[in-house]
């Protein structure tokens, strides 16, 4: 018996020893593979220093062994700060059931060899920097229950083989860079409980097979590219508790089947393209705590009522097209709603009294609708409210004093309504109030001193009201104030010195008021101040020297005041915008200003500054707006300014600048406005200006410029305004200007331009403000193409040498309200539509007629018919020809009389005093006969037979007469 017992004991010991040896052998092999795996990791914190053969494997950090310590079954290295790659040697840990490498900095690919670990149930690789695809070999892990590989840079598609993971319960691949869609095989995962695909890059349709995942409790697919309709099959997911499909491109209506999910607690469909109404079936979701349907195209009335949604905590319906009023029973039977957001819809009507029953509300946003009526005095029933947003509606009346009883209120937004009256003094009881926005209403009165008790106030914005009186002297009590916006009111008096004790102030806007006095020296305490705008007031005196201490100032606008002295205190190195226009500052530009290397806007116009422009302004390479106009600067434009290649506006007008216009201005590609007018620039206009393709306004008037208008100006195709008036520019108007098709103002007057108006100017159909070519030496006719400028309001062609008629096409310029054609050589009848203009518009053209001038018939005695130039030439030729014929006839008559007189004289000489009376009678009878014939209506036909006398005398005199008569025979017959 004892021998038998000893035999059994020996056998047990042998078995134990054999198993112990096998276990040691297994863990020893695992240890060797783990050390190889360790070599692939970078361990900057030494968390794996325990991984050494000197220690028992099962005591290595992050490892879990089986109960008999025979195998390593778990490896948890999460958040160890490891980097490097995942070794393919993991394939040798065949007993591994759980692998957690999450929240490290691992890179490279997921090794396909992981697919050989058939015992794996859990793989956690999320929050690393892994790349590439999820290897298809992972689909071989039949026992896998959890796969989380999100928050990496994984690419590719979700393989359909994922349907082979029949035991999978959790799949998380969110925050990746996948493409493709959800494979239909997802429906094979009968035990799937959590599907997390947010921010994964997936798109396409959600397969209807998703309805087969009956155990699904969480489905998160927000921020992807999914489209199409939400499948109605999702109504089969009875276990679903969370459904988040927000920020995709789903269309169609909300499936009514979603109302059949009894366990649903969270439903978010925000940021899609869903339309139609809100299904009333959603009221059946009694477990629902959060419903967000915002940022869609939903329409119709609000059909969500708390009679059904008894557990609703957050209801968000903002940014839709919902109509009707706020439902009166939206809070019936429910005291749990804490957040109600209905902003940016088309709701109308007044605030229903029943809304005031939502006593648990903490946030109420009904802004940006069409709500009207008065703000109800019972708002203080919402005693838990921390945020109240009523802005951008049409509320009228005054703010109820009862708001002062809402002791938890932190944010009150009622801006952009039609509220009147003052700020209730009771607001001073709102100790937690942080933001008070009343801007863009019609409120008036003074700021109550009680408001200074609201010590938690960080932001005050009263812009665009009618508040008056002085800024409270005790405003310095608001120690937490960060933003003070009082612009565009009627505040008067001085800036209170106590304002300097609001030491957290970052933004101060007191512009557009009636403030007077000096800027308080206490501003030196506003060390956090970055923006200050005091423009359009009546502030005066010099700037406090202490402003030099405000190093954080980035935006300063003191324009349109009466400030004087030097600008030296405003030299903070963080300056971005400085505007001091319309003051009385004097002295030079301080060279220290160039230390503000981030300055993008410098406006010093309309002051009394003088001296040269510092060359170091060229160090302000970020400058895009430089305004030095209306000062007393002199000298030349420093060439260093060419370094400011981001300039968009350069205003140097109305100074005493000399020299030539620099050609480097043509290198400023972004220049949109260039005004060098009213200076003493001379020489020619540089043709390089034609390279400024972005130029919108070019003003060079009132200088001493000469030469011609550069042809390159035709390249300024964006130009709106061109003003070259009052210079010595000569030559003709270049036809290339037709390419400036966006011109709406063209002024070239008071120069020495010659030639004709290019007909191509008629193509500038956007000309509207003025076309002024007056006081030049232009000639020729006014081109009829100017009749195409139908938008033109002012046309001035006076004091030139234009001739010919006023083209009838100009009568189509129905937008003209100023016209001046005076002092030219124009003639003919004016277009009928010109009768509306005064006579002075046409004076100095003596041959013009028609209303408003005298009628054309009054000048000629009969209606004048306007003749073309060719007709005038024909008429002149006819007059010359007719005059020649008349002269010849007169000459013939005179010669004939002379010949007959000569004959009588000769006869008398031959026959003496008592010559032959028969000849005399015959001559008298001939003239008498001719006279008799004319009395009977016959015309004397003169030819060679009638002028030859019957006698045969052939004296030289007779022959001469006969010769001359023969010469005119054909003409006179």
């Amino acid at each position: 018996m004892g021998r038998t017992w000893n035999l059994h004991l020996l056998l047990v010991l042998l078995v134990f020893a054999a198993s112990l040896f096998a276990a040691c052998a297994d863990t020893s092999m695992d240890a060797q593979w783990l050390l190889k795996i360790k070599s692939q990791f970078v361990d900057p914190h030494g968390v794996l220093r325990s991984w050494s053969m000197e220690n028992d494997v099962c005591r290595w950090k992050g490892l879990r062994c089986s109960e008999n310590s025979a195998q390593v079954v778990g490896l948890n290295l999460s958040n160890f700060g490891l980097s490097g790659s995942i070794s393919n040697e993991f394939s040798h840990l065949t007993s591994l059931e759980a692998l957690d490498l999450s929240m490290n900095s691992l890179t490279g690919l997921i090794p396909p060899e992981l697919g050989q670990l058939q015992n794996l149930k859990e793989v956690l690789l999320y929050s690393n920097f892994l790349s590439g695809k999820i290897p298809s070999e992972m689909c071989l892990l039949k026992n896998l229950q959890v796969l989380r590989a999100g928050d990496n840079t994984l690419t590719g598609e979700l393989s359909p083989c994922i349907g082979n993971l029949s035991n999978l319960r959790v799949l998380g691949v969110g925050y990746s860079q996948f493409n493709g869609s959800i494979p239909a095989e997802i429906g094979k995962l009968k035990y799937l409980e959590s599907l997390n695909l947010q921010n994964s890059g997936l798109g396409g349709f959600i397969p209807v097979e998703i309805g087969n995942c009956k155990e699904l409790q969480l489905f998160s697919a927000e921020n992807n590219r999914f489209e199409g309709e939400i499948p109605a099959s999702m109504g089969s997911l009875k276990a679903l508790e969370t459904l988040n499909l927000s920020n995709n491109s789903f269309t169609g209506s909300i499936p009514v089947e979603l109302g059949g999910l009894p366990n649903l607690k969270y439903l978010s469909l925000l940021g899609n393209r869903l339309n139609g109404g809100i299904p009333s079936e959603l009221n059946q979701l009694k477990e629902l705590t959060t419903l967000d349907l915002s940022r869609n195209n939903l329409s119709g009335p609000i059909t969500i009522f708390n009679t059904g949604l008894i557990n609703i905590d957050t209801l968000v319906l903002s940014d839709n097209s919902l109509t009707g009023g706020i439902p009166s029973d939206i809070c019936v039977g429910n005291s749990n709603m804490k957040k109600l957001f209905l902003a940016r819809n088309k709701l109308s009507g007044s605030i229903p009294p029943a809304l005031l029953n939502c006593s648990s509300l903490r946030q109420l946003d009904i802004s940006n609708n069409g709500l009207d009526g008065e703000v109800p005095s019972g708002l203080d029933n919402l005693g838990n409210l921390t945020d109240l947003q009523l802005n951008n509606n049409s509320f009228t009346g005054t703010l109820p004093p009862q708001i002062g009883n809402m002791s938890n209120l932190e944010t009150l937004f009622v801006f952009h309504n039609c509220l009147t009256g003052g700020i209730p003094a009771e607001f001073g009881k709102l100790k937690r109030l942080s933001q008070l926005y009343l801007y863009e209403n019609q409120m008036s009165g003074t700021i109550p001193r009680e408001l200074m008790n609201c010590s938690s106030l960080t932001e005050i914005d009263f812009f665009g009201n009618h508040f008056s009186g002085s800024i409270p002297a005790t405003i310095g009590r608001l120690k937490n104030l960060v933003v003070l916006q009082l612009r565009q009111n009627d505040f008067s008096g001085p800036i209170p010195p106590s304002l300097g004790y609001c030491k957290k102030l970052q933004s101060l806007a007191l512009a557009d008021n009636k403030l007077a006095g000096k800027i308080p020296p206490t501003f030196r305490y506003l060390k956090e101040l970055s923006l200050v705008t005091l423009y359009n007031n009546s502030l005066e005196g010099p700037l406090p020297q202490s402003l030099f201490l405000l190093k954080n100032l980035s935006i300063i606008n003191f324009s349109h005041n009466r400030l004087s002295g030097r600008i030296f205190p405003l030299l903070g190195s963080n300056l971005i915008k400085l505007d001091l226009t319309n003051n009385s500052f004097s002295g030079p530009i301080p060279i220290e200003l160039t230390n503000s290397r981030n300055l993008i806007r410098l406006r010093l116009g309309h002051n009394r500054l003088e001296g040269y422009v510092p060359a170091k302004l060229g160090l302000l390479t970020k400058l895009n707006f430089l305004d030095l106009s209306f000062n007393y600067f002199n000298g030349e434009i420093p060439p260093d300014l060419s370094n400011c290649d981001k300039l968009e506006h350069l205003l140097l007008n109305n100074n005493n600048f000399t020299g030539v216009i620099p050609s480097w201005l043509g290198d400023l590609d972004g220049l949109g406005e260039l005004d060098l007018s009213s200076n003493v620039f001379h020489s020619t206009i540089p043709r390089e200006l034609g390279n400024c393709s972005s130029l919108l306004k070019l003003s060079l008037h009132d200088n001493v410029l000469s030469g011609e208008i550069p042809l390159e100006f035709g390249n300024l195709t964006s130009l709106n305004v061109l003003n070259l008036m009052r210079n010595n520019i000569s030559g003709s108007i270049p036809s290339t200007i037709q390419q400036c098709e966006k011109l709406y103002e063209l002024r070239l007057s008071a120069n020495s331009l010659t030639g004709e108006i290019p007909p191509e100017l008629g193509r500038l159909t956007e000309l509207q403000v003025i076309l002024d070519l007056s006081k030049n030496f232009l000639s020729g006719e006014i081109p009829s193409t100017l009749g195409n400028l139908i938008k033109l309001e002012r046309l001035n062609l006076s004091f030139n040498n234009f001739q010919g008629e006023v083209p009838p096409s100009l009568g189509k310029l129905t937008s003209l309200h100023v016209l001046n054609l005076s002092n030219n050589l124009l003639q003919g009848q004016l277009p009928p539509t010109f009768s509306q203009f005064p006579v002075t518009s046409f004076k100095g053209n003596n041959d013009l007629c028609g209303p408003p001038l005298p009628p054309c018939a009054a000048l000629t005695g009969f209606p004048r018919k306007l003749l073309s130039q060719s007709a005038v030439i024909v008429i002149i030729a006819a007059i010359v020809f007719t005059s020649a014929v008349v002269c010849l006839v007169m000459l013939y008559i005179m010669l004939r009389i002379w010949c007959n007189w000569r004959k009588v004289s000769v006869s008398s000489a031959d026959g003496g005093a008592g010559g032959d009376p028969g000849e005399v009678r015959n001559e008298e009878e001939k003239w008498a006969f001719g006279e008799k014939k004319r009395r009977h209506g016959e015309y004397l036909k003169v030819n060679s037979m009638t002028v030859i006398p019957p006698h045969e005398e052939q004296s030289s005199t007779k022959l001469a007469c006969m010769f001359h008569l023969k010469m005119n025979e054909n003409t006179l017959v």
Side-chain angles (χ1 to χ4, degrees):
M1 177 77 130
R3 185 179 294 176
T4 305
W5 184 87
N6 288 335
L7 224 96
H8 280 290
L9 180 60
L10 180 61
L11 185 60
V12 169
L13 288 173
L14 287 172
V15 171
F16 175 74
S19 62
L20 184 62
F21 176 79
C24 290
D26 286 348
T27 53
S28 176
M29 289 300 296
D30 285 350
Q32 293 181 26
W33 296 121
L34 285 168
L35 290 176
K36 290 186 178 181
I37 290 171
K38 176 185 175 181
S39 67
Q40 298 291 315
F41 291 142
V42 177
D43 181 14
H45 306 297
V47 293
L48 300 181
R49 68 170 60 93
S50 63
W51 287 29
S52 169
M53 295 303 292
E54 298 176 359
N55 301 322
D56 181 8
V57 175
C58 294
R59 295 182 181 275
W60 288 7
K61 188 171 183 178
L63 264 66
R64 179 169 57 89
C65 292
S66 60
E67 291 183 1
N68 60 2
S69 301
Q71 302 94 16
V72 174
V73 295
L75 184 59
N76 185 349
L77 305 182
S78 177
N79 203 21
F80 273 23
L82 302 174
S83 58
S85 59
I86 302 175
S87 173
N88 54 14
E89 305 294 349
F90 272 106
S91 62
H92 298 287
L93 303 178
T94 55
S95 299
L96 202 63
E97 297 177 0
L99 174 62
D100 188 352
L101 301 177
S102 63
M103 294 188 290
N104 284 291
S105 299
L106 301 175
T107 56
L109 305 176
I110 298 174
E113 289 79 3
L114 291 182
Q116 299 175 25
L117 304 178
Q118 291 299 307
N119 291 312
L120 270 179
K121 296 180 180 179
E122 183 176 287
V123 176
L124 305 179
L125 304 176
Y126 62 90
S127 297
N128 279 287
F129 298 99
L130 301 173
S131 57
K133 300 179 180 181
I134 296 177
S136 59
E137 287 81 358
M138 297 291 287
C139 297
L140 301 174
L141 302 176
K142 301 294 185 180
N143 294 308
L144 194 64
Q145 297 179 12
V146 178
L147 174 59
R148 296 182 61 192
D151 195 16
N152 281 287
T153 56
L154 299 175
T155 56
E157 300 183 356
L158 285 182
S159 174
C161 74
I162 198 141
N164 298 334
L165 302 175
S166 56
N167 289 300
L168 199 63
R169 297 180 182 274
V170 176
L171 175 60
V173 291
Y175 297 96
S176 297
Q177 299 175 14
F178 293 115
N179 51 46
S181 57
I182 302 173
E185 287 75 7
I186 200 80
K188 295 180 180 181
L189 305 180
K190 305 296 184 182
Y191 301 107
L192 193 64
E193 297 175 357
S194 176
L195 179 57
N196 198 328
L197 306 177
Q198 77 268 29
N199 293 89
S200 61
L202 294 170
F205 301 150
I206 293 180
V208 295
E209 289 81 0
I210 195 74
N212 297 329
C213 302
K214 304 296 184 182
E215 301 297 321
L216 197 61
Q217 299 175 21
L218 182 148
F219 181 25
S220 181
E222 71 267 24
N223 299 310
N224 283 293
R225 296 180 291 108
F226 292 116
E227 58 187 357
E229 297 188 354
I230 299 173
S233 62
M234 297 189 76
S236 302
L237 306 176
K238 302 301 182 182
L240 200 62
E241 296 180 2
T242 299
L243 177 58
N244 191 343
L245 303 179
S246 59
N247 295 318
N248 281 282
S249 298
F250 291 112
T251 55
S253 58
I254 300 173
V256 296
E257 289 79 4
L258 295 184
L261 302 177
N263 294 301
L264 198 62
K265 297 179 180 178
Y266 182 96
L267 174 59
S268 178
L269 304 177
L270 78 91
N272 282 284
R273 302 174 185 174
L274 300 171
N275 52 38
I278 301 174
S280 59
E281 287 80 0
L282 296 185
N283 288 295
Q284 302 170 19
L285 303 175
K286 297 186 182 299
E287 299 297 320
L288 200 65
T289 60
T290 299
L291 175 60
D292 193 343
L293 306 179
S294 60
R295 290 173 48 207
N296 278 285
N297 299 319
L298 301 175
S299 57
I302 298 174
T303 56
I304 297 297
F305 307 111
N306 291 155
T307 51
L309 304 178
I310 57 176
N311 289 306
I312 197 74
D313 174 274
T314 301
L315 177 59
V316 187
L317 304 178
S318 306
D319 296 283
N320 280 288
S321 298
L322 300 173
T323 55
I326 299 173
S328 58
D329 52 354
I330 199 166
C331 282
V332 173
N334 174 49
S335 59
N336 295 321
M337 187 184 293
K338 295 180 177 62
K339 300 177 183 179
L340 176 60
F341 299 132
L342 306 177
R344 291 172 293 279
N345 277 286
K346 299 178 181 179
L347 301 176
S348 57
S350 58
I351 297 176
L355 184 62
L356 307 180
N357 296 327
C358 300
S359 57
S360 60
L361 271 180
R362 294 183 180 178
Q363 293 178 291
L364 174 61
D365 186 357
I366 55 176
S367 62
N368 293 275
N369 279 287
L371 300 170
D372 54 22
E374 296 189 356
V375 178
S377 59
L379 270 177
D380 57 340
N381 291 340
L382 307 178
N384 293 309
L385 209 61
T386 60
D387 298 285
L388 176 59
Q389 299 185 28
L390 308 178
N391 51 285
N392 291 89
N393 281 288
S394 299
F395 291 116
T396 56
T398 60
L399 285 175
Q402 289 83 353
I403 291 179
N405 299 327
M406 304 172 71
S407 57
N408 291 304
L409 201 61
E410 298 175 5
T411 300
L412 177 58
F413 289 175
V414 292
F415 59 89
H416 204 263
N417 278 287
C418 303
L419 298 172
T420 56
I423 302 172
E426 289 79 0
F427 277 24
K429 297 186 293 183
L430 302 174
K431 301 298 184 182
R432 297 185 180 181
L433 191 63
S434 174
Q435 296 174 302
L436 179 58
Y437 284 5
L438 307 180
Y439 65 86
E440 291 181 334
N441 277 286
Q442 300 173 23
M443 299 183 70
S444 59
T446 60
I447 298 177
R449 64 179 184 274
E450 291 83 358
L451 195 63
M452 303 304 107
N453 297 328
C454 301
S455 57
S456 297
L457 272 172
T458 59
E459 298 182 25
I460 292 177
D461 194 338
F462 295 167
F463 162 77
N465 279 283
H466 304 292
F467 292 117
S468 58
S470 59
I471 299 172
T474 56
I475 196 169
R477 294 168 59 184
L478 302 179
K479 303 296 185 182
N480 294 303
L481 203 59
V482 175
V483 175
L484 179 60
Q485 169 66 274
L486 303 180
R487 184 167 73 90
Q488 200 170 312
N489 279 283
D490 295 315
F491 291 112
S492 57
I495 299 174
S498 72
L499 187 59
Y501 303 122
C502 300
K503 295 183 180 181
K504 295 182 180 180
L505 201 61
Q506 297 178 14
S507 178
L508 174 62
L510 306 179
D512 293 307
N513 280 287
K514 300 175 182 177
L515 299 173
K518 297 182 178 180
I519 297 175
T522 54
F523 270 30
R524 66 179 178 273
Y525 301 121
L526 302 178
K527 300 295 180 62
E528 302 297 320
L529 196 64
S530 63
L531 179 150
V532 54
T533 58
L534 306 178
Y535 59 89
N536 286 342
N537 280 289
S538 298
L539 300 171
E540 58 188 10
L543 300 174
Q545 291 296 319
S546 58
L547 292 182
F548 181 72
L549 302 173
L550 305 184
K551 303 299 184 182
N552 288 316
L553 277 175
S554 59
I555 298 176
I556 301 174
N557 192 335
F558 291 171
S559 64
H560 297 274
N561 278 285
R562 302 171 186 172
L563 299 169
S564 58
R566 302 297 178 98
I567 66 175
F568 176 77
L570 302 175
L571 299 177
S573 58
N574 291 317
L575 272 180
I576 296 175
K577 298 179 181 180
L578 176 62
D579 191 343
L580 304 178
T581 56
N582 285 92
N583 279 285
S584 298
F585 290 111
S586 57
I589 298 175
I591 199 70
E592 294 85 356
L593 190 62
T594 59
N595 294 329
S596 303
R597 299 298 171 82
N598 293 317
L599 200 63
I600 62 173
R601 193 178 184 93
L602 178 59
R603 302 202 63 179
L604 304 176
H606 292 268
N607 279 285
R608 299 176 182 176
L609 300 172
E610 58 188 7
Y612 295 103
V613 175
K616 282 195 172 182
L617 280 185
L619 297 174
L620 305 179
T621 55
K622 296 182 180 180
L623 207 61
N624 67 27
F625 202 125
L626 177 59
D627 180 5
L628 305 179
S629 63
F630 291 92
N631 279 288
Y632 301 106
F633 294 115
N634 52 40
E636 298 186 0
I637 299 175
D640 304 71
L641 277 182
S642 62
N643 296 325
C644 304
D645 55 3
K646 292 182 174 60
L647 271 174
E648 297 176 6
H649 303 268
L650 180 56
L651 311 180
L652 305 180
N653 52 293
N654 294 86
N655 280 285
N656 297 312
F657 287 112
T658 57
V660 300
I661 297 175
S663 60
W664 54 258
L665 289 172
D667 297 329
L668 303 180
D669 296 335
L671 195 63
E673 181 180 13
L674 177 61
D675 194 341
L676 306 179
S677 61
S678 298
N679 281 288
V680 200
F681 291 112
H682 65 271
S683 190
T684 59
I685 301 173
R687 53 186 172 81
E688 288 82 0
L689 289 182
N691 298 330
C692 300
S693 57
S694 300
L695 204 59
L696 300 176
K697 180 179 179 181
L698 177 58
S699 296
L700 306 178
H701 60 88
D702 291 284
N703 278 287
V704 199
L705 299 171
S706 58
E708 298 185 354
I709 300 173
L711 295 175
E712 289 78 5
F713 274 18
N715 299 329
L716 304 177
T717 54
S718 298
L719 201 63
N720 297 148
V721 176
L722 177 59
N723 191 340
L724 306 179
M725 296 168 61
R726 291 186 288 275
N727 279 286
N728 295 324
I729 299 172
S730 58
S732 58
I733 300 173
S735 60
T736 55
I737 208 166
Q738 65 174 306
Q739 297 165 209
C740 305
E741 296 179 351
K742 296 181 180 179
L743 268 177
Y744 65 80
E745 182 176 340
L746 178 58
R747 300 174 186 262
L748 304 178
S749 65
N751 279 288
S752 299
L753 297 172
T754 56
E756 299 184 355
I757 299 177
E760 292 84 358
L761 285 189
R763 298 181 183 178
L764 303 178
T765 54
E766 294 300 315
L767 271 177
Q768 180 176 345
V769 176
I770 191 170
L771 172 59
D772 189 353
L773 307 179
S774 63
K775 297 180 182 178
N776 279 287
F777 300 102
L778 298 171
S779 58
E781 296 186 354
I782 299 173
S784 61
T785 55
L786 295 188
N788 298 328
L789 309 180
I790 58 175
K791 297 180 180 179
L792 195 62
E793 297 175 356
R794 290 184 288 171
L795 175 62
N796 191 348
L797 304 180
S798 63
F799 291 95
N800 278 287
N801 297 315
F802 295 122
Q803 57 188 359
E805 306 160 8
V806 177
S809 62
L810 295 191
K812 298 186 297 183
L813 303 181
T814 54
S815 297
L816 273 182
H817 57 78
V818 175
L819 174 65
N820 194 347
L821 303 179
S822 64
N823 295 286
N824 279 287
L825 304 172
L826 299 170
Q827 63 182 15
Q829 187 167 354
L830 292 172
T833 55
F834 281 10
S835 61
Q836 60 178 317
F837 299 109
V839 174
T840 53
S841 296
F842 312 104
K843 70 177 182 179
N845 294 281
N846 296 330
D847 292 328
L848 282 177
C849 60
L853 301 176
C856 298
L859 297 179
T860 62
F862 53 85
R864 302 178 66 173
K865 183 178 180 181
L866 299 179
L867 300 175
S868 65
Q869 187 173 358
S870 57
V872 171
I873 294 174
V874 171
I875 290 173
I876 292 174
I879 292 172
V880 171
F881 176 77
T882 304
S883 300
V885 171
V886 170
C887 289
L888 289 175
V889 170
M890 293 299 296
L891 182 60
Y892 162 74
I893 294 173
M894 291 178 64
L895 285 174
R896 189 163 185 270
I897 293 173
W898 183 80
C899 289
N900 282 288
W901 175 81
R902 183 72 177 155
K903 174 184 173 185
V904 172
S905 299
V906 171
S907 300
S908 299
D910 290 340
D916 189 355
E919 289 187 5
V920 175
R921 282 197 301 269
N922 287 337
E923 190 68 22
E924 290 174 349
E925 286 177 359
K926 182 179 68 174
W927 287 109
F929 177 83
E931 201 63 28
K932 183 189 290 186
K933 289 289 186 184
R934 282 194 292 273
R935 290 193 195 102
H936 286 82
E938 297 182 13
Y939 292 95
L940 175 65
K941 186 176 182 180
V942 181
N943 53 37
S944 58
M945 297 302 293
T946 58
V947 296
I948 298 176
H951 55 274
E952 307 242 344
E953 294 179 338
Q954 301 292 331
S955 68
S956 61
T957 302
K958 292 180 185 177
L959 290 173
C961 291
M962 186 173 177
F963 174 78
H964 286 293
L965 291 175
K966 279 288 186 181
M967 287 293 294
N968 293 290
E969 178 183 28
N970 295 327
T971 304
L972 298 178
V973 174

